[in-house]
Amino acid sequence: MPTLNADLHCHSTVSDGTLTPEALAARAKANGVELWALTDHDEISGQQRALDAARALALPYLTGTEISVSFCELTVHIVGLGFDHHNAALLQGLQRTRCGRSERAQEMAEQLRRVGIPGAFEGALKYVSNPELISRAHFARHLVEAGVCKDMQEVFRKYLTDGKPGFVPHRWASLRDAVRWIVEAGGVAVIAHPARYNHGPTQEYALFSEFKAHGGQAVEVLTGCHSSAEAAQYAEMALEFGLAASRGSDFHGPGESHCDLGALPPLDARLRPVWELLVERVH
Ligand code: AMP
Ligand code: MN
Ligand code: MN
Ligand code: MN
């Protein structure tokens, strides 16, 4: 069913979104989503809440997460869908991946202090609900509120991306581990928003090939941060690599995201929707 209104990528207060899992479930339902997954960064402690909320609304649900991976000196995000959220190896792998976020954040704040922006760690913490999951998004919210920048895009452009004064490189999970944790917990691994990485064509080819070799099965073709030209480009990549296609807004909160829950166009009819691989994993 390529026309199913599936939204398989978004964030709650359990990572760097601004709505609770329950509020997201209600918003997804109200927006006409027919299959939903909450995919918090490196964290699945919100899964039972999301699942219970979705069940109360008769909204079909797939478990989800978005794992931070280091690949070729860059950060890549791998979405996992439809896994057992009690799987011990997955829980442990994610816990290890979260480790170090706090130290990295202290270092980011120290660098920002050196360019004349004091108190960024404490400022960012005001936006954090899960102390293990301080993210660049929390810094961005604080720097906008403090009047340093006019919006989050400007914060990322000036301070929080590679080569800018508040950027601290970090070693995340390996591609092999992230895919393995998801697959061994019964789920499907998905390359998230592939157009957002600054890979050259050789590295991108390596990412897709290695991802497949490790057992990855899908790629996000439709996401809030892909233009229609990028969606068309990755539809071709999905076909070329024999990968299924996913669709997810990457919604982080009202007024903050390119795309609301359930608002993406339908998938190209030539693609195999990732949810066809997950029929038995739907709650
Ligand atoms: P982290 O996992 O701490 O490196 O933070 C990554 C998060 O920052 C992403 O998941 C987004 O929520 C946010 N982010 C990254 N780049 C941008 C951007 N250009 N504009 C707005 N938010 C961004
Ligand atoms: Mn995020
Ligand atoms: Mn991402
Ligand atoms: Mn995301």
Side-chain angles (χ1 to χ4, degrees):
M1 280 199 295
T3 54
L4 185 80
N5 192 349
D7 195 320
L8 305 180
H9 188 156
C10 67
H11 300 273
S12 76
T13 46
V14 169
S15 64
D16 61 357
T18 62
L19 299 182
T20 61
E22 292 78 11
L24 285 169
R27 192 178 182 99
K29 182 75 180 180
N31 288 3
V33 172
E34 296 166 298
L35 177 62
W36 177 51
L38 170 66
T39 55
D40 279 309
H41 297 284
D42 308 321
E43 176 69 276
I44 55 176
S45 66
Q47 291 304 305
Q48 194 60 49
R49 286 172 66 184
L51 207 161
D52 291 343
R55 187 171 288 152
L57 294 163
L59 171 59
Y61 185 75
L62 285 169
T63 54
T65 186
E66 181 177 22
I67 306 182
S68 311
V69 160
S70 295
F71 182 81
C72 288
E73 307 300 314
L74 291 174
T75 298
V76 166
H77 287 171
I78 300 296
V79 161
L81 296 172
F83 47 79
D84 165 16
H85 62 293
H86 302 296
N87 181 276
L90 174 62
L91 284 161
Q92 197 182 48
L94 292 177
Q95 151 100 67
R96 246 192 292 137
T97 307
R98 289 194 298 275
C99 255
R101 271 189 180 267
S102 190
E103 268 175 45
R104 166 194 185 233
Q106 301 264 18
E107 229 177 291
M108 285 167 61
E110 174 56 23
Q111 293 197 18
L112 289 168
R113 191 189 61 73
R114 283 196 214 126
V115 296
I117 305 169
F121 183 75
E122 294 70 24
L125 266 190
K126 282 191 280 159
Y127 293 87
V128 171
S129 316
N130 177 354
E132 286 189 356
L133 219 296
I134 182 161
S135 139
R136 283 183 290 159
H138 299 116
F139 278 85
R141 281 178 200 134
H142 162 65
L143 293 181
V144 171
E145 188 228 29
V148 175
C149 290
K150 70 174 193 313
D151 59 26
M152 288 174 67
Q153 290 302 328
E154 187 186 349
V155 181
F156 277 91
R157 201 173 61 246
K158 289 191 175 160
Y159 296 105
L160 301 183
T161 39
D162 200 0
K164 299 300 159 63
F167 182 79
V168 174
H170 192 71
R171 178 120 323 251
W172 304 105
S174 71
L175 182 63
R176 176 199 298 268
D177 283 347
V179 173
R180 204 190 54 213
W181 298 332
I182 294 163
V183 171
E184 290 185 357
V188 166
V190 185
I191 299 175
H193 44 63
R196 292 284 67 78
Y197 310 127
N198 294 321
H199 285 141
T202 311
Q203 286 165 326
E204 182 171 76
Y205 187 88
L207 171 65
F208 276 67
S209 313
E210 288 185 33
F211 172 75
K212 249 204 110 158
H214 295 317
Q217 288 184 280
V219 57
E220 267 180 8
V221 170
L222 293 175
T223 145
C225 68
H226 277 181
S227 66
S228 50
E230 287 166 341
Q233 180 189 344
Y234 287 96
E236 295 308 321
M237 285 282 275
L239 292 169
E240 183 185 338
F241 280 86
L243 293 169
S246 192
R247 178 181 192 267
S249 56
D250 206 0
F251 182 73
H252 280 70
E256 232 179 59
S257 293
H258 298 283
C259 177
D260 205 337
L261 284 164
L264 287 167
L267 275 178
D268 182 325
R270 296 172 302 157
L271 299 169
R272 175 149 209 219
V274 68
W275 49 91
E276 287 187 6
L277 307 177
L278 289 160
V279 174
E280 281 163 17
R281 311 294 304 177
V282 176
H283 291 272

